[in-house]
Amino acid sequence: MNNDYLLKMYHMSFSYEEKSIFEESDFTINENEKVIIYANNGSGKTTFLNVCAGFLSPFSGSCFRKNELKIGYLFQNPYVQNISITVEEELVSVCKNYGMNDKVINEKVGYFLGIFGLNHLRKRDIVSLSGGEKQIISFLSNLIMEPDIIFFDEPFSMIDSGARRRLIKILNNISKLAFIIVTSLYFPSLDVSDQYIIDNKKILKISGEPEHDYFLKRGIFPVVSDDYI
């Protein structure tokens, strides 16, 4: 088994009661790999991430995670992830949960807000932020704990075009991080290691750069350019 792997699935099958969602699917992601998985709504995108994260167990087959794998998870709805009053308090609370001291916390909060140009939001109440700003702060709440991998559940679907461009730019500029994005939207401007699709209860790797019709036939809406998003 490759020592660089973060997560491996072998013949993973999953069902809700008598409804089969996945059947004998294989999947692997290694350190610092960036993967996007396209699928239409209701095909099992969130279920797949929950199996990856260990929130759900496969009905059959297996899902191996690297020992002491540190996982981040960004939910589809940015309004449910933040729990603190201000942006600063949100990031500080995450750091405290990982046992960091006050000096380290202050440095990390300043660093992460600074590199993404968000210092002006530091004292803002989270409830006053736009949906896009909340999603980016949720992402920083994951990033500040220095995870090995982040799972993104439809991160672009509930934010505006400006926030989409900003989040894509951030993701494209990060090198020391693995992530899996599941989405029903096709973003050609997102730099990823591999592309997959959920089709016929399988996780299937896409070879090359398929035409837009490839996605349309599978119920996936292609975003055709950066101007569009």
Side-chain angles (χ1 to χ4, degrees):
M1 188 176 289
N2 186 344
N3 290 331
D4 292 333
Y5 85 95
L6 297 179
L7 182 146
K8 275 183 177 286
M9 288 182 176
Y10 288 110
H11 305 305
M12 186 274 290
S13 297
F14 187 89
S15 301
Y16 285 112
E17 296 180 349
E18 295 184 359
K19 183 181 179 181
S20 175
I21 307 298
F22 292 104
E23 294 180 355
E24 296 190 347
S25 287
D26 296 330
F27 176 80
T28 300
I29 184 167
N30 298 315
E31 291 180 3
N32 300 323
E33 284 188 341
K34 298 171 173 60
V35 167
I36 190 164
I37 300 175
Y38 300 109
N40 59 17
N41 293 325
S43 62
K45 297 188 300 295
T46 300
T47 297
F48 173 77
L49 287 188
N50 286 338
V51 172
C52 288
F55 301 152
L56 295 172
S57 297
F59 180 77
S60 64
S62 56
C63 180
F64 298 102
R65 283 169 289 277
K66 188 174 182 178
N67 288 339
E68 300 181 358
L69 183 66
K70 190 182 289 186
I71 290 171
Y73 201 119
L74 194 72
F75 297 96
Q76 177 177 358
N77 188 345
Y79 296 90
V80 303
Q81 188 135 358
N82 308 119
I83 60 173
S84 300
I85 296 174
T86 69
V87 168
E88 181 178 50
E89 289 170 343
E90 177 75 10
L91 299 178
V92 167
S93 68
V94 173
C95 294
K96 285 186 174 179
N97 285 340
Y98 282 85
M100 301 176 196
N101 62 49
D102 289 344
K103 182 176 183 295
V104 171
I105 290 173
N106 188 58
E107 290 174 351
K108 286 178 74 73
V109 170
Y111 172 75
F112 279 98
L113 289 174
I115 61 173
F116 296 122
L118 298 173
N119 271 316
H120 63 289
L121 299 180
R122 185 166 185 151
K123 300 295 183 181
R124 285 272 300 275
D125 287 354
I126 288 180
V127 294
S128 72
L129 303 180
S130 68
E133 289 171 334
K134 287 178 180 174
Q135 190 72 304
I136 290 173
I137 295 303
S138 297
F139 172 54
L140 290 189
S141 297
N142 280 275
L143 197 61
I144 203 169
M145 68 178 186
E146 300 181 10
D148 300 303
I149 187 169
I150 299 180
F151 302 127
F152 292 86
D153 189 354
E154 289 279 14
F156 308 113
S157 64
M158 298 185 68
I159 59 179
D160 63 28
S161 60
R164 287 176 184 174
R165 283 192 293 269
R166 194 171 192 179
L167 185 54
I168 286 172
K169 184 177 180 180
I170 290 171
L171 291 172
N172 285 346
N173 288 331
I174 292 176
S175 57
K176 297 295 184 180
L177 175 71
F179 64 68
I180 299 173
I181 294 174
V182 295
T183 180
S184 58
L185 301 174
Y186 171 51
F187 290 96
S189 57
L190 187 60
D191 296 334
V192 294
S193 309
D194 291 301
Q195 301 179 90
Y196 291 79
I197 192 165
I198 298 176
D199 195 22
N200 196 26
K201 303 178 184 179
K202 301 280 190 183
I203 311 294
L204 304 175
K205 191 171 183 177
I206 302 172
S207 298
E209 196 65 41
E211 298 294 330
H212 293 155
D213 285 351
Y214 176 88
F215 295 103
L216 286 172
K217 290 175 182 177
R218 291 160 175 80
I220 297 163
F221 183 73
V223 177
V224 296
S225 72
D226 288 341
D227 291 337
Y228 188 90
I229 64 173

